[in-house]
Amino acid sequence: MASQKLQASASNQLDDMQMDMSPMIDMVFLLLIFFMVASTMITQRKDPDVVVPIAPKGQDVKTAQGRITINVYSDAVMKKKGRNTPYADVNSVELTREGITRLVEKERLANEQVGTKSILYVRGDQAAIVQHVKTVIAAAAKGGVNDVIFSGYSRKVGQ
């Protein structure tokens, strides 16, 4: 008789036992928020003075890691802004040919230390002279970067 009462009380306890999931859900959301806040966004600043051309067959670049951005301005923007050279880095700081080589070499070495391959990202204005783009590519090659991607829209902005 005592064993029947013991079995009955034990089975009732097992039926009533449930796990409270709310602390686990709270912890998951806290971890999610922590990783969102602690992570760094990899973004590239875009110069509003560079109007990139439309490339109907263009593809979006998958990653911004290792990207070395050089802007190439048109003659009209150079005159408007009072620039001496049509070249600038991602922060719109004016560069010379030698400055491009030094910048590319410095960025390439920094990327190699973290194990990232360097890629030259040329943001050329649609009215820029092709020779200026060639100069940027040649200067980057002297800095040790031979992989080049070009900026362009796959369709007109606003469509």
Side-chain angles (χ1 to χ4, degrees), residues 68 99-108 120 140 143-145:
I68 304 167
I100 294 169
T101 302
R102 283 193 302 272
L103 173 73
V104 167
E105 188 171 11
K106 182 181 114 186
E107 293 290 325
R108 178 184 56 83
L120 176 66
V145 176

Side-chain angles (χ1 to χ4, degrees), residues 49-50 72-79 86 124-129 132:
D49 292 326
V50 178
V72 181
Y73 298 107
S74 66
D75 288 342
V77 171
M78 280 178 51
K79 288 176 187 172
D125 191 276
Q126 64 185 2
I129 299 171
H132 295 320

Side-chain angles (χ1 to χ4, degrees), residues 41-50 52 64 67-73 81 83 88-94 121-124 151 153:
M41 295 288 292
I42 300 175
T43 58
Q44 290 281 324
R45 290 179 41 172
K46 295 185 179 175
D47 191 335
D49 292 326
V50 178
V52 296
R67 193 183 297 180
I68 304 167
T69 303
I70 304 290
N71 294 318
V72 181
Y73 298 107
K81 296 284 186 177
R83 292 182 170 273
D89 67 1
V90 72
N91 296 317
S92 300
V93 176
E94 194 167 351
Y121 182 58
V122 180
R123 290 194 77 244
S151 178
Y153 291 122

Side-chain angles (χ1 to χ4, degrees), residues 97-154:
R97 290 177 191 161
E98 295 78 21
I100 294 169
T101 302
R102 283 193 302 272
L103 173 73
V104 167
E105 188 171 11
K106 182 181 114 186
E107 293 290 325
R108 178 184 56 83
L109 292 172
N111 288 335
E112 284 176 356
Q113 286 183 348
V114 295
T116 303
K117 183 179 178 182
S118 297
I119 300 171
L120 176 66
Y121 182 58
V122 180
R123 290 194 77 244
D125 191 276
Q126 64 185 2
I129 299 171
V130 174
Q131 185 58 43
H132 295 320
V133 175
K134 288 182 178 181
T135 302
V136 169
I137 295 170
K142 284 183 184 176
V145 176
N146 295 318
D147 291 336
V148 181
I149 54 176
F150 296 95
S151 178
Y153 291 122
S154 58

